[in-house]
Amino acid sequence: MFQQMYPSINHKYSFELNKDFNFSAAHYIPSEDAGKCMRTHGHTYFVNLTIVGDELDHNGFLVNFSELKQLVHGQFDHHLLNDLPAFEGTSPSTEIVAQTVYEMVQEHLDQRDNQPKCAQVFVRETPTSYVRYIAKEFRHG
Ligand SMILES: [Zn+2]
């Protein structure tokens, strides 16, 4: 799934960085009407982050690619998502995983002087299913 093109967003920034990575994790959807997803099972999640901005840091980076991967992979890989504080009180559906990744990434970016923005988080849960979470500023329609 790497090296694929992702649905793109429109923005007014000079730089757009995209980072692909994956992580393996288990989850279950904690409700009766979720069918077989109620049972604990695993996925290899493929994530694409789109980061935009106008200013670069002293290294010429919008943000370090490996830092982005570490931020999410370091917390989610080989975990049962339902057990993680990030998903406490929620159902770790693909939608919520995408939204949670967005919040983690944007919170991290907010600490940088050059103020990059996470515009989109793409999460593929299976070969036939994916979700895009689009940050508010980048929604149109
Ligand atoms: Zn699942």
Side-chain angles (χ1 to χ4, degrees):
M1 222 58 70
F2 284 3
Q3 297 175 6
Q4 87 168 65
M5 291 305 290
Y6 295 98
S8 64
I9 44 142
N10 290 318
H11 61 78
K12 57 184 168 47
Y13 294 92
S14 326
F15 297 102
E16 176 186 315
L17 169 165
N18 280 264
K19 175 62 180 170
D20 283 317
F21 61 91
N22 62 25
F23 65 89
S24 299
H27 78 158
Y28 60 90
I29 304 301
S31 71
E32 292 293 327
D33 60 4
K36 66 181 183 180
C37 295
M38 268 179 68
R39 298 196 294 272
T40 303
H41 60 281
H43 298 286
T44 297
Y45 291 87
F46 286 79
V47 180
N48 171 266
L49 303 177
T50 303
I51 313 292
V52 297
D54 288 323
E55 306 292 328
L56 304 180
D57 70 10
H58 64 282
N59 290 319
F61 295 162
L62 210 47
V63 59
N64 190 321
F65 283 108
S66 62
E67 201 174 292
L68 289 173
K69 178 189 168 178
Q70 183 51 32
L71 182 69
V72 180
H73 187 274
Q75 293 192 50
F76 292 179
D77 189 54
H78 286 70
H79 279 282
L80 173 58
L81 297 179
N82 302 70
D83 282 354
L84 298 176
F87 297 102
E88 203 178 325
T90 69
S91 167
S93 62
T94 323
E95 292 87 334
I96 302 288
V97 170
Q99 183 181 33
T100 303
V101 168
Y102 165 76
E103 285 161 2
M104 288 163 62
V105 169
Q106 188 56 57
E107 200 170 293
H108 180 76
L109 297 177
D110 285 344
Q111 295 163 27
R112 295 180 60 86
D113 292 338
N114 63 327
Q115 292 291 294
K117 304 233 177 297
C118 181
Q120 175 174 273
V121 175
F122 175 105
V123 177
R124 179 177 289 285
E125 193 178 79
T126 75
T128 58
S129 313
Y130 68 84
V131 165
R132 295 165 74 194
Y133 181 86
I134 301 161
K136 195 155 196 215
E137 154 181 7
F138 302 94
R139 294 173 203 161
H140 302 285

